[in-house]
Amino acid sequence: MDNFPQTNSSYPVGGGLPVIQYWAEKTLSPQGLQLWQTLNHKSACLSCAWGTGGQKGGFVNEAGEYLQRCAKSVEAIAAELQPGIKQDFFSENSISELQKLTSQECDRLGRLSYPLILRSGSSYYQRISWEEVYDIATQAFNLPPARIASYSSGRSSNEAAYLLQLFVRSLGSNNLADCSDLCHAPSTVGLKKVFGSGTSMVSLESLEHSDCIVLIGSNAPANHPRLMNELIKLRERSGKIIIINPQIEIGLVKFASPAFPIKSLLTGGSDISSLYLQPTPGSDVALFVGLQKSLIEQNLIKTEYLKSYAHDWQKVLDYANNTSWDDITKTCGLSQEEITATAYIIGKSARVVFAWAMGITQHANGVDNVFSIANTALITGNAGKIGAGTMPIRGHSNVQGFGSMGVTTNLREEIKQALSELLGKPLNETPGYHTRDLITAAELGKIDTLFCLGGNLYAANPDLQQAKQALSQIETIFYVSTKPNLGHFHGLAKKQTLILPVFNRFENPHKTTTESGNNFVRLNNEGKSHLQPPDADLISEIELITEIAHRLHGKIPIDWRKLQDTVYVRKLIAKTIPGYKKIGTIDQEKQEFIIEGRIVDEPKFPTSDGKAQMFVTPLPQLSLPSKETFGVTQNQPGIVLILGTGRSYGQHNTVVYRNEDKYRGMPHRHCILMNSLDVKKAGFHEHQRIKVKGDRGELDNIEIICGAILEGVAFMFYPEANILFQAKIDPQSGTPAYKRVPICVYRSPL
Ligand SMILES: Nc1nc2c(c(=O)[nH]1)N[C@H]1C(S)=C(S)[C@@H](COP(=O)(O)OP(=O)(O)OC[C@H]3O[C@@H](n4cnc5c(=O)[nH]c(N)nc54)[C@H](O)[C@@H]3O)O[C@H]1N2
Ligand SMILES: Nc1nc2c(c(=O)[nH]1)N[C@H]1C(S)=C(S)[C@@H](COP(=O)(O)OP(=O)(O)OC[C@H]3O[C@@H](n4cnc5c(=O)[nH]c(N)nc54)[C@H](O)[C@@H]3O)O[C@H]1N2
Ligand code: SF4
Ligand SMILES: [Mo]
């Protein structure tokens, strides 16, 4: 039943040669020695949340397996090891010059190494001292709590995250927007409702016992490369891999991993997909309801399990039974036969893991997508046993830690209680702004001070024009960062914009911790930066947050300066964060650990009565606007398509490292990947330059590339594509539908 789709990529397998070339180039470069030292530093990989490194050494995962760092990790470290930006750079380049830089050019300026300010009326960022920064901060945070907000990205440590939320909450604000609002919020919201915990219930060890993985809306070869080793091992033990993705990602068909060098050399890589399904973007609920219907029809459901361990399962089964095959197949574009064959594999497998990423969450019905996956896991008895369960594949290397530490607008009751005891007062009950609400509030002039702990709030949002306008209504913005990005030059505040340089994970003068997507907490050793005084003047994130807090509150209700020693922060975390008790002794014992209560290997879930709660997931009503809606006439060459935006193989989120994407055959950033039938239908040809229009903006001179993508669907890179559209927002999670954007690809009349 293996089906191996074909692609037009110049690389017939994912991974392989380009990855090895990149390793060789980087590690043999003049920077090579430093790179090797950093790779061996005892700290977690900076890049993705799969998690590698820590106390066992830079190349080891939590199972103790060696050779676990991928080229993405090298890419991230190499960028951090760049020299500091020269003293005179900012006095020689005005803001309008800086605004001409691309994402890649911003990153290549080098490391930020001294504090900068851009005052209204001035055209230049100027160096200032930390004393001046603290003076400005003391004034900027001395305002009504509703007018203060933070945004964060998941690269910083648990300790910094904990202090950030403690500081913001101590001011009386709950406005803790986070990049996870744009990312896995639907997984957190959905899984919490179903199973009582918003994270993966599968550990790496448990994953190694699975005999079937359903991988949905994830481009793991690019974004979580070491997950590919688990997929290869699963195929080697005769397990099945079902891929659900409208686009054929070459590395999901065949992948050459450096962890399996002989196999890669002899066979050119390992087979990944046993079955590759290409549903219409945004239709996964229909596919999963179809799978449920077919499982019922094939008598492959576990009724006794449902009776014992789940609520409302009958409603879910009734809904699947009563939904017609016609509605299901028309919505998702897959045939009944394909769905039946897939249901058979799932139903006959002993231990199935359902894993997903942005193809599931970044939709107007992202939470429903997650519910429909969880329902399918439950009706086949695949939740609450070793080798099975639900596994959201998280993004940034510590994004999950940020959530655990309480950087969220949906704070768990236990944490709320513990924090109010710590702060000696009840927490403010006014709901906080998540990222999209923050943009709206800022646009309405409701925010005066914004503290960004990492990230790129400007370029990560849909509708860049709106983001820029919204940020320009804020009086003061602090960008706490390691390297310059588009946001620093386009997301400017009304009165003053500050860029504050900080050490990264392997440079901090104290130990920190991070949490992987598999719920494993790693300890990061102290390090040293290559950026040294007098040119460089960086501090740690911990020092920055605690010093501002100290200037505002002194020792009330806690001694903020004492918290500059992260041992004390860990003591507070151990006391106030559920499942994190072991962090209290990690300094003495160096014992990294799996967070208590997260891995579920018996069908007793962390809900109030131990049972899972199932939810009916209505089929989405999917439609596309006409050409005329975009102002393009019927007789003009062009076509309306569903655009999915995402990452190339050479970028980390809004930061571009390399222009080309060899695996998809896209030679630069200004390409659109289309199905060749659509290209023909529209009256175009491959490599033609066309216009792409969304509901908010237009990009011109975009090159058409034909690729293995479903008919009617197109793919472009973010953040550039964020100029085009105002995304729909999932009402249950606040996450934008970046993966289903109506666009018109057209050409002006000659
Ligand atoms: N190297 C590198 N690593 C990264 C990142 C990076 O930028 N670079 N970013 C990190 C972060 S923050 C995140 S969140 C993750 C992102 O990791 P991914 O989620 O893997 O990244 P995306 O590029 O958003 O790709 C999502 C996949 O979903 C598919 N898809 C699109 N629409 C649909 C749909 O409707 N249904 C289904 N089933 N599939 C769909 C797309 O074709 C694509 O293959 O990676 C993390 N790791
Ligand atoms: N169209 C479209 N838009 C999207 C997405 C999509 O798929 N399509 N994906 C969304 C997703 S999943 C996410 S997570 C967001 C990403 O949104 P963000 O997390 O906001 O953006 P990043 O590009 O990861 O942020 C990069 C910056 O972080 C800073 N940084 C790096 N390391 C550190 C550190 O250790 N400390 C500090 N303080 N700063 C550091 C650097 O200055 C770097 O420039 O984008 C979202 N936007
Ligand atoms: S898979 Fe992720 S965590 Fe592991 S080395 Fe690669 S980027 Fe780092
Ligand atoms: Mo993300």
Side-chain angles (χ1 to χ4, degrees), residues 134 229 237 322:
Y134 293 128
N229 290 350
R237 54 177 191 267
N322 296 336

Side-chain angles (χ1 to χ4, degrees), residues 399-558:
V399 64
Q400 197 170 293
F402 267 73
S404 300
M405 294 301 116
V407 180
T408 168
T409 48
N410 289 314
L411 195 62
R412 286 170 64 164
E413 212 41 61
E414 305 113 279
I415 309 184
K416 221 185 251 179
Q417 297 251 329
L419 290 180
S420 58
E421 266 173 48
L422 181 67
L423 293 172
K425 59 176 183 188
L427 298 190
N428 189 338
E429 289 292 332
T430 317
Y433 299 128
H434 60 51
T435 304
R436 285 309 301 165
D437 284 351
L438 171 62
I439 294 291
T440 312
E443 207 178 12
L444 295 170
K446 291 185 179 172
I447 303 291
D448 289 327
T449 301
L450 174 66
F451 186 84
C452 293
L453 187 65
N456 184 350
L457 179 60
Y458 160 74
N461 265 288
D463 194 350
L464 296 181
Q465 246 175 307
Q466 183 207 21
K468 189 174 191 141
Q469 166 65 18
L471 293 171
S472 76
Q473 301 302 308
I474 300 174
E475 296 281 316
T476 307
I477 302 181
F478 300 91
Y479 288 121
V480 182
S481 307
T482 56
K483 300 167 302 159
N485 64 43
L486 293 168
H488 300 150
F489 306 143
H490 294 272
L492 302 178
K494 194 192 264 181
K495 185 171 154 206
Q496 49 199 359
T497 311
L498 291 93
I499 307 179
L500 308 181
V502 285
F503 295 126
N504 63 38
R505 185 172 302 157
F506 55 80
E507 296 172 330
N508 278 314
H510 41 244
K511 288 191 168 62
T512 59
T513 60
T514 42
E515 170 184 331
S516 80
N518 302 326
N519 300 300
F520 189 70
V521 177
R522 289 187 161 76
L523 179 64
N524 308 305
N525 275 4
E526 302 85 348
K528 206 172 164 214
S529 177
H530 63 291
L531 304 162
Q532 291 296 324
D535 294 347
D537 187 12
L538 292 82
I539 61 172
S540 72
E541 293 168 328
I542 305 288
E543 184 180 344
L544 175 64
I545 300 167
T546 49
E547 192 56 31
I548 297 176
H550 169 82
R551 305 264 174 147
L552 280 154
H553 304 311
K555 290 190 180 175
I556 301 170
I558 32 179

Side-chain angles (χ1 to χ4, degrees), residues 208-433:
E208 293 182 347
H209 289 90
S210 156
D211 64 351
C212 176
I213 295 184
V214 186
L215 185 68
I216 320 144
S218 150
N219 186 18
N223 299 320
H224 303 89
R226 284 299 161 262
L227 167 59
M228 300 310 291
N229 290 350
E230 303 309 317
L231 302 184
I232 293 170
K233 286 192 275 183
L234 181 116
R235 286 301 304 265
E236 285 187 341
R237 54 177 191 267
S238 305
K240 295 276 195 293
I241 296 174
I242 299 165
I243 306 285
I244 301 175
N245 196 318
Q247 193 170 340
I248 304 281
E249 305 285 14
I250 183 64
L252 293 175
V253 179
K254 207 165 185 172
F255 189 79
S257 167
F260 299 84
I262 297 174
K263 188 161 188 185
S264 298
L265 264 175
L266 293 180
T267 65
S270 309
D271 293 336
I272 303 295
S273 58
S274 316
L275 193 65
Y276 208 119
L277 301 178
Q278 288 183 271
T280 301
S283 75
D284 294 77
V285 160
L287 168 56
F288 278 90
V289 169
L291 289 171
Q292 292 154 20
K293 188 176 177 70
S294 175
L295 285 161
I296 302 168
E297 288 175 358
Q298 298 184 65
N299 210 9
L300 289 170
I301 65 166
K302 298 275 195 295
T303 316
E304 289 310 313
Y305 171 99
L306 290 172
K307 280 183 190 160
S308 309
Y309 307 121
H311 292 292
D312 288 341
W313 54 276
Q314 193 63 55
K315 288 186 191 160
V316 171
L317 296 188
D318 288 348
Y319 181 77
N321 262 329
N322 296 336
T323 308
S324 72
W325 274 115
D326 199 42
D327 282 349
I328 291 169
T329 53
K330 275 197 182 123
T331 309
C332 71
L334 294 163
S335 68
Q336 189 178 338
E337 290 68 33
E338 284 173 292
I339 298 174
T340 305
T342 311
Y344 183 79
I345 297 179
I346 294 173
K348 287 289 183 186
S349 297
R351 297 167 188 283
V352 186
V353 167
F354 295 83
W356 67 89
M358 296 302 99
I360 281 300
T361 61
Q362 293 177 334
H363 283 294
N365 63 341
V367 172
D368 277 358
N369 272 341
V370 172
F371 284 157
S372 73
I373 297 172
N375 288 345
T376 312
L378 283 162
I379 72 169
T380 52
N382 277 302
K385 66 180 176 192
I386 290 281
T390 44
M391 187 175 103
I393 311 168
R394 299 276 163 176
H396 274 298
S397 53
N398 193 37
V399 64
Q400 197 170 293
F402 267 73
S404 300
M405 294 301 116
V407 180
T408 168
T409 48
N410 289 314
L411 195 62
R412 286 170 64 164
E413 212 41 61
E414 305 113 279
I415 309 184
K416 221 185 251 179
Q417 297 251 329
L419 290 180
S420 58
E421 266 173 48
L422 181 67
L423 293 172
K425 59 176 183 188
L427 298 190
N428 189 338
E429 289 292 332
T430 317
Y433 299 128

Side-chain angles (χ1 to χ4, degrees), residues 42-113:
K42 289 189 174 172
S43 55
C45 170
L46 299 177
S47 193
C48 88
W50 189 247
T52 307
Q55 288 304 296
K56 289 186 180 142
F59 288 85
V60 182
N61 68 9
E62 59 259 49
E65 293 161 324
Y66 199 70
L67 198 65
Q68 291 286 339
R69 280 273 175 117
C70 70
K72 300 292 148 192
S73 183
V74 176
E75 211 165 52
I77 294 172
E80 296 289 332
L81 289 177
Q82 294 178 97
I85 302 174
K86 294 241 161 19
Q87 293 283 347
D88 42 13
F89 175 78
F90 287 102
S91 50
E92 284 171 2
N93 291 283
S94 70
I95 190 72
S96 53
E97 293 298 319
L98 299 174
Q99 284 172 346
K100 289 182 195 146
L101 301 176
T102 62
S103 160
Q104 189 182 24
E105 287 164 344
C106 290
D107 196 67
R108 291 217 176 147
L109 293 177
R111 279 289 295 276
L112 294 163
S113 44

